[in-house]
Amino acid sequence: MSRGLGDVYKRQVRTLRLQLTDSQIRRQESENRMALIKTRREFELLEKEIEDAASEEDRLRKEINRDQHQVDELKGELETDTTLIQSQEEELQAIQKQMDVEVSKDQARIKELELKEKEVSPNMSADLIYKLETIVRNKNGLGIVPVRGSICRGCNMVLPAQFVNEVRSGEEIKFCPSCSRVLYY
């Protein structure tokens, strides 16, 4: 936005400079005609023309200075904004590099965990693995919980005594009837 505004002020400065040049030429022509005047009336008219041209020059110079000042301010703002953008881009690139490193570490860790999973669960059915993964995902990573006394530590529900004995035996994987988490004793 400031770039477009700067262009507007630059055009105004050029226009004002052209007007100033025209005014200076008119004033010089009026001054040159001073030698040719013969009457008092001609002298007064010519003097009035010269004064008008001089005041017009002053007004135009003031406008040029004001607009040039605006252009300079906008240039300063543009330079500041450009510097800020460059520093933010550098920060963003550094953050992106850091994130890329972290992502590659996480991907390596995932591959490592997948290999461990295959080692730990070679005899498990695909359905059971899927169910376990779903439970862990849905329970915010807490998919396997202990049974203390006869209470599930995932949902704090009291479990039937026979069910607790089956969990205690450890012969098969048991799921809490209330929260669906895997139970161990």
Side-chain angles (χ1 to χ4, degrees), residues 158-173:
V158 176
L159 302 170
Q162 179 60 35
F163 187 79
V164 172
N165 288 334
E166 290 173 7
V167 171
R168 194 178 295 162
S169 72
E171 292 177 13
E172 62 180 288
I173 296 175

Side-chain angles (χ1 to χ4, degrees), residues 11-173:
R11 281 194 298 274
Q12 283 179 336
V13 168
R14 279 193 297 268
T15 302
L16 290 172
R17 286 192 176 155
L18 288 173
Q19 290 174 355
L20 178 62
T21 303
D22 290 344
S23 181
Q24 287 172 336
I25 291 171
R26 282 194 313 272
R27 183 181 49 81
Q28 287 174 351
E29 288 173 353
S30 296
E31 288 173 352
N32 290 341
R33 288 192 319 220
M34 273 295 223
L36 304 174
I37 61 168
K38 296 181 181 168
T39 66
R40 174 92 175 137
R41 180 74 180 137
E42 287 177 345
F43 175 78
E44 289 173 356
L45 287 175
L46 199 52
E47 188 177 47
K48 176 73 172 136
E49 271 183 46
I50 292 170
E51 286 175 10
D52 289 346
S55 68
E56 179 69 8
E57 286 176 36
D58 288 342
R59 184 188 67 77
L60 290 170
R61 280 190 184 101
K62 286 177 184 175
E63 284 188 42
I64 288 171
N65 287 337
R66 184 194 68 224
D67 289 350
Q68 188 63 48
H69 180 70
Q70 288 289 349
V71 168
D72 294 342
E73 280 184 9
L74 290 172
K75 280 182 184 178
E77 288 176 17
L78 184 61
E79 289 173 6
T80 302
D81 291 348
T82 302
T83 304
L84 180 63
I85 288 170
Q86 287 173 346
S87 68
Q88 288 176 342
E89 284 177 347
E90 290 170 1
E91 285 178 29
L92 186 61
Q93 288 173 354
I95 291 170
Q96 184 64 42
K97 286 179 184 178
Q98 183 179 3
M99 286 177 59
D100 290 343
V101 168
E102 289 179 22
V103 166
S104 65
K105 285 180 183 178
D106 289 346
Q107 288 173 340
R109 178 77 174 134
I110 288 171
K111 287 179 184 178
E112 179 183 316
L113 290 173
E114 286 173 348
L115 290 173
K116 283 185 180 181
E117 179 185 27
K118 288 179 183 177
E119 290 174 11
V120 172
S121 61
N123 299 329
M124 292 176 82
S125 70
D127 290 338
L128 183 59
I129 291 173
Y130 176 76
K131 187 173 182 178
L132 291 172
E133 287 174 349
T134 304
I135 291 169
V136 169
R137 218 177 301 119
N138 290 338
K139 303 299 181 182
N140 297 324
L142 190 60
I144 302 174
V145 295
V147 174
R148 299 275 190 235
S150 62
I151 298 174
C152 169
R153 289 297 172 189
C155 62
N156 295 318
M157 293 297 293
V158 176
L159 302 170
Q162 179 60 35
F163 187 79
V164 172
N165 288 334
E166 290 173 7
V167 171
R168 194 178 295 162
S169 72
E171 292 177 13
E172 62 180 288
I173 296 175

